[in-house]
Amino acid sequence: GLSQRWEMRASALDGHRRLVQLIDRTDSHAAEKMRVDFVANASHELRTPLASIIGYVETLADEAGEDPDIRARFLRIVLDEAKRIERLVEDLMSLSRIEADKFRPPSDTVDLGELIDDVAAALAGAHNGRGRDITLHVTPGLPMLTGDAVQLSQLLHNLIGNAMKYGRPGTPIRVEAAPAAAGMVRLVVADQGDGIAADHLPRLTERFYRVDAGRSRSLGGTGLGLAIVKHVVERHRGRLDIASIVGEGTRVTVMLRAADPAVILS
Ligand code: ADP
């Protein structure tokens, strides 16, 4: 969390008056530390696959590269590591774009049900064979949102993607969208899987925070998915809630604002 930091400055105005200023340094200090940590983490995440690519390519350039089996195997690894770098760079670019848009409210009219259909279809296709069913429960006539369609599809992609990665094979993933009170629309993505221990929950949306880094990496995770989700929710002035029970599963709820709050007065 943020620790309070105050700076006091006193200066003499004249013989018997002094000017005292109390300056709040809280944000600049915490923000600076976060920025330094972020650059260090991002560099580390990029360096690991790069070192591996360099090692394998050097070996391929030697006699070892003449053996067709070794060659095929090493090229596969080089490709996987290069793709990991590509995913990282894409996520880093998404994060910086969303941050750059922070003070520009989104203005597209978005049909959330349609976005859910598109993202679920794309993910179900991509993960074919993993035995993941995505069951959709979208209330008919769901109100439109005012939002950023690209960022909201990223949000859906990351949440449904996590449910597929961390849900138990063979169990369905449930996606719900329904009108809620006070002009909001509720989106829920729920899985039956590992779950997350309570002490990790508050830190999940930090950049590069993972419960099990090895597991996340082997599933193709970058550690940035939920940080992106959090930023998208903030830009939409919505709310994010992650509830989980270890060994049972995880339920992520996102509250978003309907374009015309009057349509769901309740
Ligand atoms: P990653 O790319 O590692 O999945 P995220 O930012 O999307 O990064 O999530 C951060 C961490 O939160 C993950 O590494 C994982 O430990 C945990 N997590 C996220 N979603 C789920 C889920 N649905 N079930 C269990 N753990 C999850």
Side-chain angles (χ1 to χ4, degrees), residues 157-171:
H157 194 277
N158 292 352
L159 292 180
I160 300 172
N162 278 350
M164 297 179 94
K165 284 190 292 186
Y166 304 108
R168 239 187 332 279
T171 61

Side-chain angles (χ1 to χ4, degrees), residues 31-102:
E32 175 63 12
K33 183 179 172 348
M34 262 178 62
R35 203 179 58 75
V36 170
D37 287 351
F38 176 55
V39 172
N41 286 333
S43 312
H44 177 77
E45 294 288 335
L46 287 165
R47 193 176 57 182
T48 310
L50 263 179
S52 159
I53 288 173
I54 291 169
Y56 281 103
V57 171
E58 276 172 355
T59 313
L60 279 168
D62 291 344
E63 305 90 81
E66 282 156 28
D67 180 326
D69 290 343
I70 293 183
R71 200 184 159 81
R73 196 155 58 80
F74 284 14
L75 282 174
R76 183 77 238 168
I77 297 173
V78 168
L79 183 61
D80 286 347
E81 297 291 333
K83 283 190 174 161
R84 170 187 303 288
I85 295 176
E86 183 183 45
R87 278 195 302 275
L88 257 165
V89 170
E90 273 168 4
D91 278 356
L92 287 169
M93 282 168 56
S94 298
L95 256 182
S96 81
R97 237 179 271 126
I98 299 164
E99 277 196 316
D101 284 344
K102 197 168 180 171

Side-chain angles (χ1 to χ4, degrees), residues 102-123:
K102 197 168 180 171
F103 300 109
R104 211 175 49 79
S107 56
D108 307 338
T109 300
V110 178
D111 181 336
L112 184 64
E114 206 171 278
L115 277 191
I116 292 173
D117 283 345
D118 292 350
V119 173
L123 281 173

Side-chain angles (χ1 to χ4, degrees), residues 110-237:
V110 178
D111 181 336
L112 184 64
E114 206 171 278
L115 277 191
I116 292 173
D117 283 345
D118 292 350
V119 173
L123 281 173
H127 291 250
N128 240 350
R130 264 207 209 174
R132 314 320 313 273
D133 279 345
I134 306 176
T135 61
L136 306 182
H137 303 264
V138 177
T139 303
L142 190 71
M144 293 292 200
L145 305 177
T146 302
D148 183 309
V150 171
Q151 292 177 2
L152 288 172
S153 13
Q154 259 168 340
L155 173 145
L156 286 166
H157 194 277
N158 292 352
L159 292 180
I160 300 172
N162 278 350
M164 297 179 94
K165 284 190 292 186
Y166 304 108
R168 239 187 332 279
T171 61
I173 289 143
R174 188 181 167 91
V175 181
E176 296 167 24
M184 305 293 274
V185 168
R186 176 188 299 107
L187 165 72
V188 175
V189 178
D191 64 63
Q192 297 165 35
D194 306 350
I196 305 158
D199 49 331
H200 291 291
L201 285 179
R203 300 196 58 191
L204 286 186
T205 58
E206 287 176 22
R207 294 154 179 199
F208 297 119
Y209 188 85
R210 292 143 152 151
V211 175
D212 179 343
R215 174 119 205 275
S216 153
R217 285 199 190 91
S218 70
L219 293 167
T222 60
L224 294 173
L226 288 179
I228 291 173
V229 166
K230 179 187 154 199
H231 278 82
V232 172
V233 171
E234 279 175 0
R235 178 159 183 247
H236 286 75
R237 296 187 302 137

Side-chain angles (χ1 to χ4, degrees), residues 8-22:
M8 184 144 80
R9 269 195 206 157
S11 43
L13 279 182
D14 52 41
H16 48 271
R17 288 188 306 164
R18 281 198 326 150
L19 175 68
V20 177
Q21 282 175 289
L22 204 53

